[in-house]
Amino acid sequence: MTENMKGLLLEDRWAPLTSEMGFLETGAEHAARAFAAWHAGLQAPRGIAVEVRPVSGSLEQALSALLPITTPEVQRQLFMPTRSPWTAYLENGWDGTDASSAMSYMARTLGCRGLRVVAVPNTIRKDKGRFGAVMLEVYGPHRTEWLNYVRVVSASNDGGEWVFDQSGEPFAFEKVEQYQARRVKDRFTFDMLKDYLRHLGLSPFEEDFYLPEGAPAWLVERKGPVLPTHAEFTLAQAREEF
C-alpha cells in the first residue's frame, strides 16, 4: 500500500527533492555538461550563465548543494553517479524534481535510456499531507509512438481518486496480473516499483547506491538575473504541509 512506503531513500527526510528522480544511462559528468550546454543556450538571451562544478562528500552533503529551494524557477540540478551505469538527476524546485521533460530530452540527445521514478506516500488528510503516487516512465534514444516514451506504469491519487495508467510494451519482468487488482492503488505498488528497478539495474532507494568510491556529484547552477517573483526556501519550509 502506498501509505506504508517503508524503505524510501534516507527515510524520506529529503522529500520533496527526492520524491521524484530522474536517471540517465550514461556518466554523471558527461550528462551534467551536456545538460548545462543545453540550458546555457536557452538562458543566454536573459544574461544567465550556466556553470558546472563537482560536489564531494556524502549523499546528504551532495543533496545539500541543491539548497535553498527556489520558486518559480529551478536554479540548480544535481547529477550523481551510482553503483551502476545509471546517473541520478535531481532539481531544487519547490515541488521537488520534475524529471519527465529533462530525462526525455536528454535520452534523445545523449542516445541513451532515461527514467522518471516517483514514490510519494499517500498521507493526505484534509488539507495536509501528500497525494500518493508510484510511477515509472522509461524513455529511449529514438522516437516512439509517443515522443520517445518506451514504457509507463503508474498508480496515483489524483485529487482523491486513485488512477492506474500504463502504456507501451510491458517488460518481461513485469507482474502484469497485478494490474487487474480490485483496488486501484494495489495495481502498481512501491514494492513492485523497486522490483522493476532492480531488473533495470537500479537500487535508487538505498543510500549506498550513490557516489561510489568517493566519486563526486556534479552540480549545474544558473548565475545571473532572476525573476521578480523569485523566492528561496529551506527544506523545512517546503515540508511544512507534509
Side-chain angles (χ1 to χ4, degrees), residues 112-170:
C112 66
R113 290 190 297 179
L115 304 176
R116 177 191 181 213
V117 176
V118 179
V120 179
N122 190 58
T123 60
I124 193 72
R125 297 292 183 273
K126 295 185 178 179
D127 59 346
K128 288 198 69 172
R130 291 184 284 172
F131 289 102
V134 178
M135 301 180 177
L136 174 63
E137 295 180 0
V138 182
Y139 317 105
H142 307 298
R143 185 169 182 83
T144 62
E145 290 183 3
W146 174 246
L147 301 175
N148 61 327
Y149 284 67
V150 173
R151 182 66 173 142
V152 174
V153 188
S154 70
S156 60
N157 184 344
D158 185 9
E161 179 180 355
W162 281 90
V163 177
F164 173 76
D165 182 51
Q166 65 164 321
S167 64
E169 190 70 23

Side-chain angles (χ1 to χ4, degrees), residues 22-29 31 79-82 84-89:
F23 292 91
L24 291 166
E25 201 171 21
T26 190
E29 182 178 3
F79 292 80
M80 296 191 294
T82 69
S84 76
W86 296 89
T87 287
Y89 168 85

Side-chain angles (χ1 to χ4, degrees), residues 8-38:
L8 286 165
L9 180 62
L10 298 170
E11 299 178 340
D12 213 28
R13 60 180 176 267
W14 280 87
L17 298 184
T18 55
S19 297
E20 176 172 334
M21 296 182 282
F23 292 91
L24 291 166
E25 201 171 21
T26 190
E29 182 178 3
H30 177 57
R33 295 196 182 281
F35 182 92
W38 169 36

Side-chain angles (χ1 to χ4, degrees), residues 16-23 35 38-39 66 70 72-74 76-79 89-106 115-118 135 137 139 149:
L17 298 184
T18 55
S19 297
E20 176 172 334
M21 296 182 282
F23 292 91
F35 182 92
W38 169 36
H39 274 244
L66 287 168
T70 58
E73 292 184 313
V74 168
R76 287 172 286 279
Q77 293 91 2
L78 189 68
F79 292 80
Y89 168 85
L90 296 100
E91 302 174 345
N92 79 322
W94 172 258
D95 292 320
T97 301
D98 182 4
S100 184
S101 60
M103 295 300 94
S104 174
Y105 177 85
M106 293 296 290
L115 304 176
R116 177 191 181 213
V117 176
V118 179
M135 301 180 177
E137 295 180 0
Y139 317 105
Y149 284 67

Side-chain angles (χ1 to χ4, degrees), residues 9-15 17-18 55-67 78 80 90 207-208 210-211 217 235 239:
L9 180 62
L10 298 170
E11 299 178 340
D12 213 28
R13 60 180 176 267
W14 280 87
L17 298 184
T18 55
V55 179
S56 299
S58 67
L59 174 57
E60 294 201 72
Q61 287 171 323
L63 294 173
S64 295
L66 287 168
L67 300 175
L78 189 68
M80 296 191 294
L90 296 100
E207 183 175 356
D208 65 1
Y210 302 92
L211 306 175
L235 181 61
R239 294 171 58 88

